[in-house]
Coordinates of all heavy atoms in Angstrom, one line a residue:
C281 N 139.0 -97.1 169.6 CA 140.4 -97.4 170.1 C 140.7 -98.9 169.4 O 140.6 -99.8 170.3 CB 140.6 -97.4 171.6 SG 140.2 -95.8 172.2
P282 N 141.2 -99.0 168.3 CA 141.3 -100.2 167.6 C 142.5 -101.0 168.2 O 142.6 -102.3 168.0 CB 141.5 -100.0 166.2 CG 141.2 -98.5 165.9 CD 141.4 -97.9 167.2
G283 N 143.4 -100.4 168.8 CA 144.6 -101.1 169.4 C 144.3 -101.9 170.8 O 145.2 -102.5 171.3
F284 N 143.1 -101.6 171.3 CA 142.8 -102.3 172.7 C 141.8 -103.4 172.3 O 140.8 -103.0 171.7 CB 142.2 -101.2 173.6 CG 143.1 -100.0 174.0 CD1 143.3 -99.0 173.2 CD2 143.9 -100.2 175.1 CE1 144.2 -97.9 173.6 CE2 144.9 -99.2 175.5 CZ 145.0 -98.1 174.7
S285 N 142.0 -104.6 172.8 CA 141.1 -105.6 172.6 C 140.0 -105.7 173.6 O 138.9 -106.3 173.5 CB 141.9 -107.0 172.7 OG 142.4 -107.1 173.9
A286 N 140.3 -105.0 174.7 CA 139.1 -104.9 175.7 C 139.2 -103.5 176.4 O 140.2 -102.8 176.6 CB 139.5 -106.0 176.8
D287 N 138.1 -103.0 176.9 CA 138.1 -101.7 177.5 C 138.8 -101.7 178.9 O 138.7 -102.7 179.7 CB 136.6 -101.3 177.7 CG 135.9 -100.7 176.5 OD1 136.7 -99.7 176.0 OD2 134.9 -101.0 176.0
C288 N 139.5 -100.6 179.1 CA 140.3 -100.5 180.2 C 140.3 -99.0 180.6 O 139.8 -98.1 180.2 CB 141.7 -101.1 179.9 SG 142.3 -100.2 178.4
L289 N 141.4 -98.7 181.6 CA 141.5 -97.3 182.0 C 141.7 -96.4 180.8 O 141.2 -95.2 180.8 CB 142.7 -97.2 183.1 CG 142.9 -95.9 183.6 CD1 141.9 -95.5 184.7 CD2 144.4 -95.8 184.3
E290 N 142.6 -96.8 179.9 CA 143.0 -95.8 178.8 C 141.8 -95.6 177.9 O 141.8 -94.6 177.2 CB 144.0 -96.5 178.0 CG 145.4 -96.4 178.7 CD 145.6 -97.5 179.7 OE1 144.6 -98.3 179.9 OE2 146.7 -97.4 180.4
T291 N 140.8 -96.5 177.8 CA 139.7 -96.1 176.9 C 138.4 -95.5 177.7 O 137.9 -94.6 177.3 CB 139.1 -97.5 176.2 OG1 138.7 -98.4 177.2 CG2 140.3 -98.1 175.5
L292 N 138.2 -96.1 178.9 CA 137.0 -95.6 179.6 C 137.2 -94.2 180.4 O 136.3 -93.5 180.4 CB 136.7 -96.8 180.6 CG 136.2 -98.1 180.0 CD1 136.0 -99.1 181.1 CD2 135.0 -97.9 179.1
E293 N 138.5 -94.1 180.9 CA 138.6 -92.9 181.6 C 139.3 -91.8 180.7 O 139.0 -90.7 180.5 CB 139.5 -93.2 182.7 CG 139.6 -92.1 183.9 CD 140.7 -90.9 183.5 OE1 141.6 -91.2 182.7 OE2 140.4 -89.8 184.0
E294 N 140.5 -92.2 180.2 CA 141.3 -91.2 179.3 C 140.4 -90.8 178.0 O 140.5 -89.6 177.9 CB 142.6 -91.8 178.9 CG 143.5 -90.9 178.1 CD 144.8 -91.5 177.6 OE1 145.1 -92.7 178.0 OE2 145.5 -90.7 176.9
I295 N 139.7 -91.7 177.4 CA 139.1 -91.3 176.2 C 137.6 -90.8 176.6 O 137.2 -89.8 176.3 CB 139.1 -92.5 175.2 CG1 140.4 -92.7 174.7 CG2 138.1 -92.2 174.0 CD1 141.1 -91.5 174.0
D296 N 136.8 -91.8 177.1 CA 135.4 -91.5 177.3 C 135.0 -90.5 178.3 O 134.0 -89.9 178.4 CB 134.7 -92.8 177.7 CG 133.2 -92.7 177.3 OD1 132.8 -91.9 176.5 OD2 132.4 -93.5 177.9
Q297 N 136.2 -90.1 179.2 CA 135.9 -89.1 180.1 C 136.7 -87.8 179.9 O 136.2 -86.8 179.5 CB 136.3 -89.6 181.6 CG 135.4 -90.6 182.1 CD 135.7 -91.1 183.5 OE1 136.2 -90.3 184.3 NE2 135.4 -92.2 183.9
E298 N 138.0 -87.9 179.9 CA 139.1 -86.8 179.7 C 138.8 -86.3 178.2 O 138.7 -85.1 178.0 CB 140.4 -87.1 179.9 CG 140.6 -87.4 181.6 CD 142.1 -87.8 181.8 OE1 143.0 -87.7 180.8 OE2 142.4 -88.0 183.0
A299 N 139.0 -87.2 177.2 CA 139.0 -86.6 175.8 C 137.7 -86.1 175.6 O 137.5 -85.1 174.7 CB 139.4 -87.8 174.8
R300 N 136.6 -86.8 176.0 CA 135.3 -86.2 175.8 C 135.0 -84.8 176.2 O 134.6 -84.0 175.6 CB 134.1 -87.1 176.4 CG 132.7 -86.5 176.4 CD 131.8 -87.5 177.4 NE 131.8 -88.8 176.9 CZ 130.8 -89.3 176.0 NH1 130.0 -88.3 175.4 NH2 130.8 -90.5 175.7
A301 N 135.5 -84.6 177.5 CA 135.4 -83.3 178.2 C 136.3 -82.3 177.5 O 135.8 -81.2 177.2 CB 135.9 -83.3 179.6
A302 N 137.4 -82.6 176.9 CA 138.2 -81.7 176.2 C 137.5 -81.3 174.9 O 137.5 -80.1 174.5 CB 139.6 -82.3 176.0
F303 N 137.0 -82.2 174.2 CA 136.3 -81.9 172.9 C 135.1 -81.0 173.2 O 134.8 -80.0 172.4 CB 135.8 -83.1 172.2 CG 135.1 -83.0 170.9 CD1 135.8 -82.5 169.8 CD2 133.7 -83.3 170.8 CE1 135.2 -82.3 168.6 CE2 133.1 -83.1 169.6 CZ 133.7 -82.6 168.4
L304 N 134.2 -81.3 174.1 CA 133.1 -80.6 174.4 C 133.4 -79.1 174.9 O 132.8 -78.1 174.4 CB 132.2 -81.2 175.3 CG 131.6 -82.5 174.9 CD1 130.7 -83.3 175.9 CD2 130.9 -82.4 173.7
A305 N 134.6 -79.1 175.8 CA 134.8 -77.7 176.1 C 135.5 -76.9 175.2 O 135.4 -75.6 175.2 CB 135.9 -77.9 177.3
A306 N 136.0 -77.5 174.1 CA 136.6 -76.7 173.0 C 135.5 -76.2 171.9 O 135.9 -75.7 171.0 CB 137.6 -77.6 172.3
G307 N 134.2 -76.6 172.2 CA 133.1 -76.3 171.2 C 132.4 -77.3 170.6 O 131.4 -77.0 169.9
G308 N 132.8 -78.6 170.7 CA 132.2 -79.6 170.0 C 130.8 -79.9 170.8 O 130.6 -79.6 171.9
Q309 N 129.9 -80.5 170.0 CA 128.6 -80.6 170.6 C 128.3 -82.1 170.9 O 127.4 -82.4 171.8 CB 127.6 -80.1 169.6 CG 127.7 -78.6 169.4 CD 126.6 -78.2 168.4 OE1 125.9 -78.8 167.9 NE2 126.7 -76.7 168.1
A310 N 128.8 -82.9 170.3 CA 128.6 -84.5 170.5 C 129.8 -85.3 170.4 O 130.6 -85.2 169.4 CB 127.4 -84.9 169.5
F311 N 130.0 -86.1 171.3 CA 131.2 -87.0 171.4 C 130.7 -88.4 171.6 O 130.0 -88.7 172.7 CB 132.2 -86.6 172.4 CG 133.4 -87.5 172.6 CD1 134.6 -87.1 171.9 CD2 133.4 -88.6 173.3 CE1 135.7 -87.9 172.2 CE2 134.5 -89.5 173.4 CZ 135.7 -89.1 172.8
A312 N 131.0 -89.5 170.9 CA 130.4 -90.7 170.9 C 131.7 -91.7 171.1 O 132.5 -91.7 170.1 CB 129.6 -91.2 169.9
Y313 N 131.8 -92.5 172.2 CA 132.9 -93.5 172.2 C 132.3 -94.7 171.8 O 131.3 -95.2 172.3 CB 133.4 -93.3 173.7 CG 134.4 -94.6 173.9 CD1 135.5 -94.8 173.1 CD2 134.1 -95.7 174.8 CE1 136.4 -95.9 173.3 CE2 134.9 -96.9 174.8 CZ 135.9 -96.9 174.1 OH 136.8 -98.0 174.2
I314 N 133.1 -95.5 170.9 CA 132.8 -96.8 170.4 C 133.5 -97.8 171.3 O 134.7 -97.8 171.0 CB 132.9 -96.9 169.0 CG1 132.2 -95.9 168.1 CG2 132.5 -98.3 168.5 CD1 132.4 -95.8 166.7
P315 N 132.8 -98.6 172.0 CA 133.5 -99.5 172.9 C 134.4 -100.5 172.2 O 134.4 -100.7 171.0 CB 132.5 -100.4 173.6 CG 131.3 -99.4 173.5 CD 131.4 -98.7 172.3
C316 N 135.4 -101.1 172.9 CA 136.3 -102.1 172.3 C 135.6 -103.3 171.9 O 134.3 -103.5 172.3 CB 137.4 -102.5 173.3 SG 138.5 -101.0 173.7
L317 N 136.1 -104.1 171.2 CA 135.5 -105.4 170.8 C 135.0 -106.3 172.0 O 134.1 -106.9 171.9 CB 136.3 -106.2 169.9 CG 136.8 -105.7 168.5 CD1 137.7 -106.4 167.8 CD2 135.4 -105.2 167.7
N318 N 135.8 -106.3 173.0 CA 135.5 -106.9 174.3 C 135.0 -108.4 174.0 O 135.8 -109.2 173.2 CB 134.4 -106.2 175.0 CG 134.9 -104.8 175.5 OD1 136.0 -104.8 176.0 ND2 134.0 -103.9 175.5
D319 N 133.8 -108.8 174.3 CA 133.4 -110.2 174.1 C 132.4 -110.2 173.0 O 131.5 -111.1 172.9 CB 132.9 -111.0 175.3 CG 131.7 -110.2 176.0 OD1 131.3 -109.2 175.5 OD2 131.1 -110.9 176.9
S320 N 132.3 -109.2 172.0 CA 131.3 -109.1 171.1 C 131.4 -110.4 170.2 O 132.4 -111.0 170.0 CB 131.5 -107.9 170.3 OG 132.8 -107.9 169.5
P321 N 130.2 -110.8 169.5 CA 130.3 -111.9 168.7 C 131.4 -111.9 167.6 O 132.2 -112.9 167.3 CB 128.9 -112.1 168.1 CG 128.0 -111.4 169.2 CD 128.9 -110.4 169.7
A322 N 131.3 -110.7 167.0 CA 132.4 -110.5 165.8 C 133.7 -110.6 166.4 O 134.7 -111.1 165.7 CB 132.2 -109.3 165.0
G323 N 134.0 -109.9 167.5 CA 135.4 -109.9 168.0 C 135.8 -111.4 168.5 O 137.0 -111.7 168.3
M324 N 135.0 -112.1 169.2 CA 135.3 -113.4 169.4 C 135.4 -114.4 168.3 O 136.3 -115.3 168.3 CB 134.2 -114.0 170.4 CG 134.1 -113.3 171.9 SD 135.7 -113.1 172.6 CE 136.4 -114.9 172.6
R325 N 134.7 -114.1 167.2 CA 135.0 -115.1 166.1 C 136.3 -114.8 165.5 O 137.0 -115.6 165.0 CB 133.9 -114.7 165.0 CG 132.6 -115.3 165.3 CD 131.7 -115.2 164.0 NE 131.4 -113.8 163.6 CZ 130.2 -113.1 164.0 NH1 129.5 -113.7 165.0 NH2 130.0 -112.0 163.6
A326 N 136.8 -113.4 165.7 CA 138.0 -113.0 165.1 C 139.1 -113.7 165.9 O 140.1 -114.3 165.4 CB 138.3 -111.5 165.0
L327 N 139.0 -113.7 167.2 CA 140.0 -114.3 168.1 C 140.1 -115.9 167.9 O 141.2 -116.4 167.9 CB 139.6 -114.0 169.5 CG 140.3 -112.6 170.2 CD1 140.0 -112.6 171.7 CD2 141.8 -112.6 170.0
T328 N 138.8 -116.4 167.8 CA 138.8 -117.9 167.7 C 139.4 -118.3 166.4 O 140.2 -119.3 166.4 CB 137.3 -118.2 167.7 OG1 136.6 -117.8 168.9 CG2 137.2 -119.9 167.5
A329 N 139.1 -117.6 165.3 CA 139.8 -118.0 163.9 C 141.4 -117.8 164.1 O 142.1 -118.5 163.4 CB 139.1 -117.2 162.9
L330 N 141.8 -116.8 164.7 CA 143.1 -116.5 164.9 C 144.0 -117.7 165.6 O 144.9 -118.1 165.3 CB 143.4 -115.1 165.6 CG 144.9 -114.7 165.7 CD1 145.5 -114.2 164.4 CD2 144.8 -113.5 166.8
A331 N 143.3 -118.0 166.8 CA 143.8 -119.1 167.5 C 143.8 -120.4 166.7 O 144.8 -121.1 166.7 CB 143.1 -119.2 168.9
E332 N 142.7 -120.6 166.1 CA 142.6 -121.9 165.3 C 143.7 -122.0 164.2 O 144.3 -123.0 164.0 CB 141.2 -121.9 164.7 CG 140.9 -123.3 164.1 CD 139.6 -123.4 163.8 OE1 138.9 -122.4 163.2 OE2 138.9 -124.4 163.9
K333 N 144.0 -120.8 163.6 CA 145.0 -120.8 162.6 C 146.4 -121.2 163.0 O 147.2 -121.9 162.5 CB 145.0 -119.4 161.8 CG 146.1 -119.3 160.8 CD 145.8 -117.9 160.0 CE 146.2 -116.7 160.8 NZ 146.1 -115.5 160.2
H334 N 146.6 -120.5 164.3 CA 148.1 -120.8 164.7 C 148.1 -122.1 165.5 O 149.3 -122.5 165.9 CB 148.3 -119.6 165.7 CG 148.8 -118.4 164.8 ND1 150.0 -118.0 164.6 CD2 147.9 -117.3 164.5 CE1 150.0 -116.9 163.9 NE2 148.7 -116.5 163.8
L335 N 147.1 -122.8 165.8 CA 147.1 -124.1 166.4 C 147.2 -125.2 165.4 O 147.4 -126.4 165.8 CB 145.7 -124.4 167.1 CG 145.6 -123.6 168.5 CD1 144.2 -123.7 169.0 CD2 146.4 -124.2 169.6
Q336 N 147.3 -124.9 164.1 CA 147.4 -125.9 163.2 C 148.7 -126.7 163.3 O 149.7 -126.2 163.5 CB 147.4 -125.3 161.7 CG 146.1 -124.6 161.3 CD 146.1 -124.1 160.0 OE1 146.9 -124.5 159.1 NE2 145.2 -123.1 159.5
G337 N 148.5 -128.1 163.1 CA 149.6 -128.9 163.3 C 149.7 -129.5 164.6 O 150.3 -130.6 164.9
W338 N 149.1 -129.0 165.5 CA 149.0 -129.5 167.0 C 147.6 -130.3 167.1 O 146.6 -129.8 166.8 CB 149.1 -128.3 168.1 CG 150.4 -127.9 168.3 CD1 151.6 -128.4 167.9 CD2 150.8 -126.9 169.1 NE1 152.6 -127.7 168.4 CE2 152.1 -126.7 169.2 CE3 150.0 -126.0 169.9 CZ2 152.8 -125.7 169.9 CZ3 150.6 -125.0 170.6 CH2 152.0 -124.8 170.6

Side-chain angles (χ1 to χ4, degrees):
C281 296
F284 296 87
S285 63
D287 275 310
C288 54
L289 184 73
E290 286 79 4
T291 63
L292 299 175
E293 193 279 334
E294 183 180 358
I295 294 299
D296 202 21
Q297 294 181 28
E298 292 185 2
R300 172 191 296 275
F303 178 71
L304 297 178
Q309 295 182 1
F311 180 99
Y313 169 63
I314 302 173
C316 293
L317 295 178
N318 296 321
D319 63 353
S320 65
M324 290 310 307
R325 283 195 297 271
L327 270 185
T328 301
L330 181 70
E332 191 172 39
K333 178 173 67 174
H334 287 267
L335 287 166
Q336 289 183 25
W338 277 353

